[in-house]
């Protein structure tokens, strides 16, 4: 949902940067790898130590690479199945780093096992959302859309984590968002399964 509403504006803002990188003959694949490395380093370097705000700032700076590489591919005419595959796989690594690093922090606190379980559930369901689409498309069906696509999940977790770190809000704020995110992800999985079933059942 959020991805649909923000893609046009994000593309407009990031296109000059993408065009400059293309002129510098930098490969979109390089930007993809660097972006994922930055997200992973930021998540694992800051979140386990409880530095939520600066971790979010660091991660956000690299998250935009996920948009820039696609714009670069279109501008340079280098869109390919390989690029799409690499981007999809590395997205899963970035997601795992963010949710996993937060889970490490809360697991280390001892009394926050519920938060740890929620983070693991959100990570797993997020992966299933993406897998459902990929598997459907490999079989010739479509399974896009839903109320919790990747952009929605990233914005929810990063914005909330950053604000909790900046203003010192209680952990329960993040917990409420995680409950909502887990429920929305589960519903999106159901939506995609139902959508594929409808296509299969239609003669």
């Amino acid at each position: 949902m959020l991805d649909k509403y923000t893609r046009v504006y994000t593309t407009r803002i990031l296109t000059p940067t993408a065009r400059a990188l293309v002129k510098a003959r930098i490969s979109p694949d390089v930007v993809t790898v660097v972006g994922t490395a930055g997200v992973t380093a930021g998540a694992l370097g800051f979140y386990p130590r409880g530095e939520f705000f600066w971790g979010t700032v660091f991660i956000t700076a690299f998250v935009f690479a996920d948009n820039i590489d696609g714009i670069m591919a279109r501008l340079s005419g280098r869109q390919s199945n390989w690029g799409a595959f690499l981007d999809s796989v590395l997205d899963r690594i970035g997601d795992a780093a963010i949710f996993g690093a937060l889970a490490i922090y809360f697991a280390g606190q001892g009394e926050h096992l519920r938060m740890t379980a929620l983070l693991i559930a959100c990570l797993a369901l997020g992966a299933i959302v993406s897998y459902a689409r990929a598997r459907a498309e490999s079989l010739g069906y479509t399974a896009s859309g839903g109320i919790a696509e990747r952009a929605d999940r990233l914005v929810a977790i990063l914005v909330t984590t950053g604000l909790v770190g900046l203003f010192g809000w209680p952990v329960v704020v993040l917990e409420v968002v995680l409950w909502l995110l887990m429920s929305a992800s589960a519903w999106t999985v159901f939506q995609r399964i139902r959508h594929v079933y409808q296509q299969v059942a239609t003669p």
Side-chain angles (χ1 to χ4, degrees):
M1 289 170 51
L2 181 64
D3 189 46
K4 296 176 183 178
Y5 295 124
T6 61
R7 184 179 297 274
V8 173
Y9 301 102
T10 302
T11 300
R12 185 177 303 168
I13 293 171
L14 297 178
T15 294
T17 300
R19 186 173 287 115
L21 291 171
V22 169
K23 288 183 178 180
R25 297 188 177 182
I26 295 175
S27 168
D29 291 346
V30 171
V31 175
T32 302
V33 172
V34 170
T36 300
V39 168
T40 302
L44 296 177
F46 288 94
Y47 284 171
R49 296 186 295 176
E51 297 180 11
F52 291 169
F53 175 69
W54 289 113
T56 299
V57 170
F58 190 96
I59 291 167
T60 301
F62 286 93
V63 162
F64 288 114
D66 188 50
N67 298 100
I68 291 176
D69 58 2
I71 299 172
M72 289 175 64
R74 288 190 291 275
L75 289 174
S76 60
R78 298 179 64 175
Q79 291 175 289
S80 66
N81 289 335
W82 160 249
F85 170 79
L86 180 66
D87 185 65
S88 181
V89 171
L90 294 189
D91 279 352
R92 305 291 79 74
I93 294 175
D95 292 352
I98 292 170
F99 285 93
L102 285 169
I104 290 171
Y105 171 78
F106 286 108
Q109 301 303 301
E111 70 274 17
H112 290 300
L113 294 180
R114 186 170 63 251
M115 288 289 291
T116 303
L118 277 171
L119 285 157
I120 292 173
C122 286
L123 175 58
L125 286 167
I128 295 170
V129 167
S130 298
Y131 175 79
R133 176 174 180 172
R135 184 57 175 159
E137 291 177 349
S138 74
L139 296 172
Y141 303 110
T142 60
S144 58
I147 62 174
E149 295 193 80
R150 183 173 186 261
D152 305 316
R153 300 194 303 271
L154 279 182
V155 169
I157 192 66
L158 291 177
V159 169
T160 306
T161 302
L163 292 176
V164 167
L166 178 62
F167 297 112
W169 290 350
V171 172
V172 68
V173 174
L174 181 56
E175 181 177 347
V176 169
V177 171
L178 286 173
W179 277 110
L180 293 173
L181 188 56
M182 183 184 70
S183 300
S185 296
W187 181 249
T188 299
V189 171
F190 171 75
Q191 286 180 305
R192 293 189 172 186
I193 291 174
R194 182 180 62 182
H195 185 55
V196 173
Y197 175 77
Q198 290 172 338
Q199 293 173 76
V200 174
T202 301

